Amino acid sequence: MLKAGELSDMFASRIATIRRHIAPRFLSARSSHANVESLERLGIRIEPNVRKALSEGLPVVALESTIISHGMPYPQNLSTAKEVESVVKQHGATPATIAILNGVPCIGLTEEELEFLAQCGSAAAKTSRRDIAQVISRGVTGATTVSATMFFAAKAGIHVFVTGGIGGVHRLGESTLDISSDLTELGRTPVVVVCAGVKSILDIPRTLEYLETQGVTVVSYGTEEFPAFFTSKSGCKAPCRVDSPEQCAAIAESNLKLELQSGILIAVPIPDQHSAAAEHVETAIQTALQEMREKNVQGNAVTPFLLKRVNELTGGDSLASSILSCMQVDQLSVAL
C-alpha cells in the first residue's frame, strides 16, 4: 500500500505540470455575488478566510466532508483533508470544506474543526440534501455528501466543488431503485463538480444515462473514456471531451450565462500508473456486493460498506487510489 509521503512525491510532478495553467478564473470570481451577511442570518457560519475571499470576489473551491468522516480511517482522513486543502491554497484559491457541526452549517473549517470531524468518523451523520433539516434541528454533527455540499456551495455563491468520486445508480438499481441524490442535485444546482468519475462500485452506464435524463453536462478531461474513480477505464465513452482548464471554464460560463440551472460534471482520470488494477478491483467489488446482500446492508450504509470492504480486499490499493484521485482533481478545480 502506498504511504501518504509516497503519494505526495508521485503527485509533485503533476502539480508542476498543471501549475502553469492555473489562474483565478471568472467562475470563482462570481463568488463575490454571495451575500455573506444574509447567509449568516440564516444560521450558516462562514470561516473567516472563506468570508474574506467571498467578500473580495477571490477564488473559492468547495470540498465535501463525508470523505473525511466515512471515506477513510483516522488519522489518514485528516492528513488527506489537510493535503487537499493545501493543494487548493498553493494554487491561489481558498478551500471551503463544508460540514454541519453541532447543528450549525459551516462553509469552511478551521484546523481544529477538521481534526474534530476526522476523529468523529462514522459517528458523524452522513448528510445528503434530504438530511440537512433534521441534522440541524437535532443539533448534531453531519458530514455532507455531494448533494448537500452542492446545496451549501450554491447558497454561498461558490461555483466550483471538488470531490473524489460521485454517487450514482447502484448495481441492481433497476430492482432496488437505489440511486444517489448526487445525480438529482446535479440536475438542479448550477455548480461545477470536478471529480475522478463515478465510483467503480456503481453501475456506471446507468449512471451516465440518468445524468443525461437530468440534463447534466458530463465532460471527461483529456480522454474519450469516462473514468471510474479507482481506475481511468470504465468501458463507457464520455459524452464530451476537453483538454484544458480554459475549455472547462468556457463550458461552465455558457451554462451560467444561459441560467440552465443544472450542474456540470468534469471527470479527471487518475493517472494509469497510479490506478488500482481494474480486474483486481472488480473482483473485490463482486465479493463485497455478495457480502452486502448476505448482511442485508441497505440505504446510506451501502457505499461506506462497499468502499471499506473493497479497500480491505485489495490490500489498501483502492484507498491509495482514492487519495490520489482527490488530489488529482483538486488541481483542475482551482484552474477554473
Side-chain angles (χ1 to χ4, degrees):
M1 177 177 174
L2 292 171
K3 295 181 174 62
E6 293 172 321
L7 285 168
S8 298
D9 291 342
M10 287 190 304
F11 202 55
S13 63
R14 299 289 297 176
I15 292 175
T17 299
I18 295 181
R19 177 173 288 146
R20 66 178 180 273
H21 295 298
I22 299 212
R25 301 283 297 188
F26 96 100
L27 274 177
S28 297
R30 279 184 171 236
S31 296
S32 61
H33 294 173
N35 188 330
V36 174
E37 290 183 1
S38 67
L39 289 175
E40 293 178 335
R41 283 197 295 270
L42 290 173
I44 298 174
R45 201 215 69 192
I46 304 175
E47 191 270 334
N49 290 323
V50 176
R51 183 191 300 115
K52 182 176 185 294
L54 290 172
S55 299
E56 297 178 4
L58 299 175
V60 179
V61 174
L63 302 168
E64 67 154 294
S65 50
T66 298
I67 196 168
I68 301 172
S69 62
H70 292 72
M72 302 174 192
Y74 182 84
Q76 201 163 23
N77 57 355
L78 179 61
S79 61
T80 300
K82 287 182 176 179
E83 195 158 2
V84 167
E85 287 204 350
S86 177
V87 170
V88 174
K89 292 175 184 176
Q90 288 169 16
H91 294 91
T94 298
T97 299
I98 294 174
I100 299 173
L101 302 182
N102 298 317
V104 178
C106 299
I107 298 177
L109 302 180
T110 65
E111 284 196 20
E112 293 77 14
E113 289 166 340
L114 277 176
E115 172 91 36
F116 168 74
L117 189 63
Q119 290 185 349
C120 278
S122 58
K126 186 180 177 185
T127 307
S128 66
R129 173 190 270 257
R130 173 197 68 176
D131 308 303
I132 291 172
Q134 58 96 357
V135 168
I136 292 173
S137 67
R138 291 192 293 123
V140 298
T141 292
T144 55
T145 65
V146 169
S147 64
T149 304
M150 288 182 69
F151 170 80
F152 284 116
K155 278 280 189 187
I158 301 171
H159 292 286
V160 179
F161 160 45
V162 63
T163 186
I166 66 162
V169 179
H170 280 263
R171 301 192 189 200
L172 302 178
E174 67 275 17
S175 302
T176 64
L177 296 183
D178 192 348
I179 301 171
S180 172
S181 62
D182 296 356
L183 305 187
T184 50
E185 198 66 39
L186 276 160
R188 64 184 172 187
T189 303
V191 170
V192 179
V193 179
V194 186
C195 70
V198 174
K199 295 183 178 78
S200 307
I201 59 174
L202 303 172
D203 187 325
I204 296 177
R206 282 190 170 92
T207 297
L208 292 173
E209 287 290 343
Y210 197 94
L211 286 168
E212 180 185 5
T213 301
Q214 292 292 313
V216 178
T217 299
V218 177
V219 175
S220 285
Y221 189 83
T223 177
E224 298 291 338
E225 187 165 351
F226 188 81
F229 189 49
F230 295 131
T231 173
S232 61
K233 308 297 182 184
S234 69
C236 299
K237 182 175 171 56
C240 175
R241 171 179 175 165
V242 294
D243 294 292
S244 72
E246 290 76 15
Q247 289 177 322
C248 295
I251 291 173
E253 181 176 14
S254 297
N255 184 77
L256 287 174
K257 278 185 175 180
L258 292 171
E259 298 182 348
L260 291 174
Q261 299 304 314
S262 55
I264 295 173
L265 183 66
I266 300 176
V268 184
I270 187 172
D272 286 336
Q273 66 269 31
H274 303 317
S275 65
E279 290 184 8
H280 183 36
V281 171
E282 181 58 30
T283 299
I285 289 171
Q286 291 301 327
T287 301
L289 285 167
Q290 180 61 35
E291 292 178 4
M292 178 195 74
R293 289 189 285 270
E294 292 172 355
K295 295 176 182 292
N296 197 31
V297 179
Q298 298 179 5
N300 64 7
V302 168
T303 297
F305 173 84
L306 290 175
L307 290 176
K308 182 174 183 291
R309 282 300 289 141
V310 169
N311 181 56
E312 292 169 349
L313 292 166
T314 60
D317 287 347
S318 66
L319 179 58
S321 294
S322 176
I323 293 170
L324 191 63
S325 293
C326 292
M327 292 188 289
Q328 164 81 3
V329 300
D330 220 36
Q331 295 176 88
L332 178 60
S333 71
V334 294
L336 296 174

